Amino acid sequence: MKKAERKKLGDLLYETGMITKEQLDWGIEEQHRTNKKIGEILVDEGIITDKDILGALEFQLGIPHMDLEKYTIDYTVASKVPESIARRYTVIAVGTDGPRLKVAMKDPLDMFALDDLKISTKMEIVPLLAAAKEIENLINQAYALAQTKNIVFEVEKQMQEEAQSLVSEENADTAENGHIIDLVNNFLHISTLKEASDLHIEPFESFIRIRYRVDGQLYEIERIKKEMLNLITARIKILSNMNISERRLPQDGRMSRQVNGYQVDMRVSILPTIYGEKTVIRFIYHKGNPLKLKDLGFHPQDYEKIIQLLGNPHGIILVTGPTGSGKSTTLSAALRALNKDHINIVTVEDPVENRIEGINQIAVNTKIGLTFAQCLRSILRQDPDIIMIGEMRDSETSSIAIRAAITGHLVLSTLHTNDAASSIARLIDMGTESFMVGAAVKGVISQRLVRKLCPNCKVKHTVTATEELIYKIKEGIGVYKTRGCSVCNHTGYKGRIAVHEILVLDGALQDAIASGGMTTEEIKEKAIQRGMRTLWDNAHYSVLQGQTTMEEMLRVAYEQ
């Protein structure tokens, strides 16, 4: 058995017929040249997969394979292996059996790894097979959260050792306390590791709750002692250039950092509550390839409507939906599609979230009186072809925007409304005459975000008679349900996609709106008669495509 365990991975793959002699020889040459493991080389080249390696090793060596997708991490066990060793060899401790430590490894034949594990843990190592991706996912979870607990313990210990509380004074010195710096950095690290959209630091009467939002849902990281609040808040204020001595008024700030080779911008909002200052940090990820319109999940019919709307030489196109529904992402994708050398595009935003080369972008600054309305007046003297307004917040802004649209400019903007049709009523309620709304508005895109099924663990499901009554999907049709695995943190969902409702105002609808007296329901009814796909229709389509669940469909949409 010992001899079999020491057999090289490349020989095992060749003996089982997974690679040819030529591929083995080439892999060995690359191994000598790059100093990488042969399995990693072959996987990177697409010759084999991680599962091929697992299959070969399990069959030849009899080493059990562990499915980490279904494994809930035990931080006490995982911490028995130092993080540096876990990351160096891609291993994670998953269980104990007396003096023996069970360790999931991507390469259980790595004798250096086995020796280092035995020395560092002072335990007998029982190697188990597992996919490298699954191990790395668990490593990131285990050590980030374990580090948080260690830092919190050290802060509490330091506070007890000192005769007085560290938070007796809130100033730069206390906020620069090493443990507090580490704690704040760790909260930011965990959030960006999970690709969270927000981080919440919430004070209550006797504790502070730390939560992050992933795919629209909040998850708790830790609860810590209330005495740490002022220190944590002061540290965040320093990082985001706020006034650390002001605790009575709301404050806003910004900061950024590099994460895994790309920039993450952070919008910081601090709000005084009855138990202290609450902090919310919004994360904006600037990754390599920004999303294009075709990547946003439009139904094929709706995508054609979008292209036609953006082809208008003038008029207003609105993107609507609640906060966090992806409106800015859609607007940015639309601007990239419109961005041409012969077109002058100017935006006014609060703040500028997505920077686009070739487009003139202005950030609102209300502190000095630079408002949306003031920016718009100046923009119109800059000879723009296309104007993007981050949000129509008041009657003055909407009035200037509509006049710009009527006088030959294409205007893109956002509104906070429940659906496409109600946006018309919202503009009229803001004081704009109905005949001007009818003349100016070309189309409205209403959208919501639904959680995507985790591709790693979603399971097939046949619709039951009861579900047909609830979800209006025919009994017997095949859809997908959630299961949960380590890749998706056992939620069953990974990522989000948008579902849309696109209202195109043709001549008849524009005339009807301009004449006044049309209710939101009447506008919606006429639009559906003209072929508008509702939010429900498109959420229903996403369910049938296996992208999301019936429960998510019901959560974000309703049947017409």
Side-chain angles (χ1 to χ4, degrees), residues 86-107:
R87 292 191 182 279
R88 186 187 312 155
Y89 298 115
T90 313
V91 302
I92 189 162
V94 294
T96 57
D97 182 10
R100 302 196 304 169
L101 182 65
K102 297 177 181 178
V103 180
M105 308 176 65
K106 73 171 183 179
D107 182 4

Side-chain angles (χ1 to χ4, degrees), residues 332-350:
S332 296
L335 288 174
R336 289 188 181 93
L338 292 166
N339 191 13
K340 302 288 188 297
D341 289 341
H342 63 281
I343 294 176
N344 179 22
I345 303 176
V346 185
T347 77
V348 50
E349 306 168 63
D350 183 21

Side-chain angles (χ1 to χ4, degrees), residues 451-469:
R451 290 180 291 171
K452 288 172 62 178
L453 277 159
C454 174
N456 204 51
C457 66
K458 65 180 183 179
V459 293
K460 289 185 177 180
H461 172 75
T462 302
V463 177
T464 65
T466 303
E467 288 171 336
E468 180 180 354
L469 293 173

